[in-house]
Amino acid sequence: MTDKSDNIQKVEVLSKKTWTPNLFSFTVTRPDSFKFTAGQWVRLGVNPSQLKHHVDNNTQDAPDEDIYRAYSIVSSPYDETLEFFSIVIPDGAFTSQLQHLQVGDKLLLNTIPFGFLTLARYQAPLPKDLWLLATGTGLAPFLSMLQDLKTWEDYEHIVLAYSARNQAELAYVELIKTLEEDFGGLVTSPAKFTFIPIVTREEVEGALDKRLPELLTSGKLEEVAGEKLTKEHSHVMVCGNPDMVEDTKETLKDMGLEMNRRGEGNIAVENYW
């Protein structure tokens, strides 16, 4: 993959947090001129041979090439730094290298943001209830939206349903618990916020235990949220692994909701894997 060099800027790794052996987050410096809309993604690049891990260990076979992948942004559009949430794919050319990131490493940022999983896409129905349905690192764009005051101003009720295989993979829960106060608290008449954690492969107190399509079909998700999904007033965003996205999208359509096209409709989706 090639990128026009005038759109590429070097950014420095400021921090890294490991959630599980296969999940981690990291922050980088933000170029002054870089702007994006909550929910968008960027292309990040890494040259493995220049990572401190390989330099310090004199790794002979680290690739000396720029490798790019798409990453949704976790941060608010107004944050001074950029945060990303990553899964480690053992044989992946990019993430298998990125797991070695250390503070001070340099990455490459294509400063053109991409993607249409943004709230601006909704023209009709008008904003009332917003449903954010995520698995794994598909949580990233929703965290960005929930750190944007306009989201809290525009909706009456926001539901975040976040599914993982086990409790350890439910990242960012402490941040999620502060969002309503930290961001909704700055708005005159903020949306009511409901967080619904889902863990499918172990029993966790306070978490649901079925896949999102089943929770929709049974009505359990609506019951816990205290809100009905309807064609007349619901905006539904789905982001995560492709199987979940496809199954959830079809379930929502079976419930009478419609794909959002040209600004009209309920359902917006993005695969994130």
Side-chain angles (χ1 to χ4, degrees):
M1 172 186 166
T2 60
D3 287 284
K4 292 183 178 180
S5 58
D6 54 351
N7 296 324
I8 304 300
Q9 292 203 34
K10 282 191 175 182
V11 293
E12 182 177 341
V13 177
L14 299 173
S15 68
K16 179 183 176 185
K17 178 179 177 64
T18 300
W19 300 98
T20 73
N22 293 317
L23 286 173
F24 65 97
S25 302
F26 58 97
T27 63
V28 301
T29 52
R30 177 176 180 167
D32 292 339
S33 60
F34 176 63
K35 293 181 173 60
F36 69 97
T37 300
Q40 288 190 305
W41 52 271
V42 292
R43 297 191 189 280
L44 276 182
V46 62
N47 184 316
S49 70
Q50 296 177 14
L51 293 176
K52 288 184 178 182
H53 171 82
H54 292 311
V55 173
D56 293 346
N57 290 286
N58 196 27
T59 307
Q60 299 299 315
D61 58 352
D64 186 9
E65 61 177 327
D66 297 337
I67 306 168
Y68 284 86
R69 292 294 183 271
Y71 270 84
S72 286
I73 303 168
V74 172
S75 320
S76 158
Y78 307 102
D79 280 349
E80 294 181 355
T81 60
L82 298 174
E83 183 164 355
F84 301 94
F85 184 23
S86 182
I87 187 172
V88 177
I89 301 171
D91 298 324
F94 190 88
T95 64
S96 64
Q97 298 295 334
L98 213 62
Q99 67 179 321
H100 299 305
L101 274 187
Q102 297 179 26
V103 172
D105 274 328
K106 301 296 193 297
L107 297 177
L108 302 169
L109 171 70
N110 183 328
T111 56
I112 300 176
F114 299 91
F116 299 99
L117 194 74
T118 65
L119 295 176
R121 69 180 293 147
Y122 286 107
Q123 306 302 317
L126 294 174
K128 184 177 181 292
D129 52 295
L130 173 64
W131 299 71
L132 306 172
L133 312 181
T135 57
T137 53
L139 178 69
F142 299 152
L143 289 178
S144 184
M145 293 175 195
L146 291 169
Q147 295 178 87
D148 188 339
L149 294 182
K150 185 169 172 54
T151 307
W152 296 88
E153 291 174 332
D154 286 354
Y155 288 89
E156 296 177 20
H157 191 183
I158 301 170
V159 179
L160 172 62
Y162 174 30
S163 178
R165 294 175 300 179
N166 53 60
Q167 187 172 18
E169 292 181 350
L170 277 179
Y172 287 103
V173 170
E174 293 308 311
L175 171 64
I176 291 168
K177 290 177 178 177
T178 68
L179 290 171
E180 186 167 18
E181 180 178 348
D182 288 353
F183 292 89
L186 299 176
V187 174
T188 302
S189 182
K192 173 190 173 186
F193 180 60
T194 304
F195 172 48
I196 304 175
I198 304 164
V199 179
T200 57
R201 296 191 184 177
E202 65 181 27
E203 188 173 330
V204 176
E205 185 177 355
L208 301 182
D209 61 0
K210 307 295 184 188
R211 293 181 68 242
L212 276 162
E214 185 175 342
L215 292 171
L216 287 166
T217 302
S218 69
K220 185 67 175 178
L221 199 68
E222 292 171 301
E223 176 189 329
V224 174
E227 184 77 60
K228 283 290 183 185
L229 282 155
T230 75
K231 177 181 174 181
E232 290 70 32
H233 58 67
S234 298
H235 294 174
V236 189
M237 291 186 150
V238 187
C239 190
N241 76 69
D243 289 341
M244 181 283 289
V245 170
E246 181 64 22
D247 292 347
T248 301
K249 177 184 73 175
E250 292 305 316
T251 301
L252 290 165
K253 288 164 64 177
D254 290 343
M255 295 170 66
L257 279 73
E258 298 179 349
M259 296 301 295
N260 183 282
R261 293 188 176 89
R262 300 183 182 88
E264 296 189 6
N266 313 100
I267 310 164
V269 305
E270 189 160 271
N271 291 335
Y272 204 65
W273 193 244

